């Protein structure tokens, strides 16, 4: 949410990683009503809503917004892998961020391992799928899919969990945990590729 000084109104922006759906207009209407009722000053103009989506069908957008009395619009965004030239020198590189926040890479690695385990289990198991990484490791073992480095990974996982919860981890432990987790992740990916063939 922003406040536009020239227009003298609040601007509510909703960013969606999906295509526009008609129900998004209803949600935005709710948000605008709440902002106008709870935050807007009587001298402010009515709040404006902007829905940014991955894509949109113009006909669906027109029908979804046709009866709305609130000012709102829908726009598409495009992702680019390239950073605009003026920003390149201003923003830190990935390597600089890794040096600045060494535990961030551990957390990212933990997420990748969890995702890979989930994909491996989903291809083999039926019914309720465990959601916690510890129980997913148990499920891997039950299915006979535990990589050789599982025991080492479980020790590294304790360090990764500490990092994920913002608890200080020394550099040596973090580096060792990252190395073990990377090897475990590589094993998981190899197993999943083999299972697909």
């Amino acid at each position: 949410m922003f406040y536009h000084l020239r227009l003298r109104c609040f601007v509510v922006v909703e960013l969606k990683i999906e295509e526009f759906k008609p129900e998004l207009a209803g949600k935005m209407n709710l948000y605008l009503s709440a902002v106008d009722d709870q935050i807007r000053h009587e001298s402010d103009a009515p709040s404006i809503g902007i829905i940014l989506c991955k894509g949109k069908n113009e006909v669906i957008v027109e029908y979804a917004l046709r009866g709305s009395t609130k000012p709102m619009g829908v726009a598409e965004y495009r992702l680019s892998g390239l950073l605009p030239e003026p920003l390149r020198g201003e923003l830190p590189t990935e390597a600089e961020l890794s040096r600045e926040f060494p535990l961030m890479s551990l957390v990212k690695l933990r997420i990748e391992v969890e995702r890979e385990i989930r994909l491996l289990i989903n291809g083999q198991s039926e019914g309720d799928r465990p959601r916690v990484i510890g129980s997913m490791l148990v499920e891997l073992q039950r299915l006979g899919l535990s990589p050789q480095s599982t025991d080492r990974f479980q020790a590294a996982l304790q360090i990764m969990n500490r990092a994920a919860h913002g608890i200080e981890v020394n550099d040596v432990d973090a580096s060792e945990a990252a190395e073990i987790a990377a090897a475990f992740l590589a094993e998981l990916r190899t197993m999943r590729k083999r299972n697909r063939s």
Side-chain angles (χ1 to χ4, degrees), residues 85-134:
E85 193 61 47
L87 294 178
R88 285 188 192 162
E90 301 296 321
L91 296 174
T93 65
E94 188 175 339
E96 290 169 334
L97 283 173
S98 292
R99 278 195 307 276
E100 187 72 27
F101 304 104
L103 299 184
M104 297 278 288
S105 58
L106 254 188
V107 173
K108 181 181 175 198
L109 190 54
R110 184 191 184 285
I111 291 168
E112 288 178 35
V113 166
E114 189 171 342
R115 183 179 300 130
E116 199 63 36
I117 293 172
R118 197 176 307 279
L119 289 170
L120 194 56
I121 289 174
N122 286 347
Q124 299 293 320
S125 178
E126 295 181 14
D128 292 337
R129 305 212 172 38
R131 298 187 183 275
V132 179
I133 196 167

Side-chain angles (χ1 to χ4, degrees), residues 27-66:
K27 262 188 183 177
M28 180 57 75
N29 190 53
L30 170 77
Y31 301 152
L32 292 174
S33 295
V35 169
D36 284 346
D37 189 51
Q38 301 289 321
I39 302 172
R40 183 179 140 222
H41 188 270
E42 60 188 37
S43 63
D44 289 337
S47 300
I48 297 171
I50 300 172
I51 304 168
L52 293 174
C53 296
K54 182 179 178 181
K56 64 179 181 172
N57 178 311
E58 297 290 340
V59 175
I60 292 174
V61 170
E62 183 180 336
Y63 283 128
L65 300 182
R66 184 179 283 176

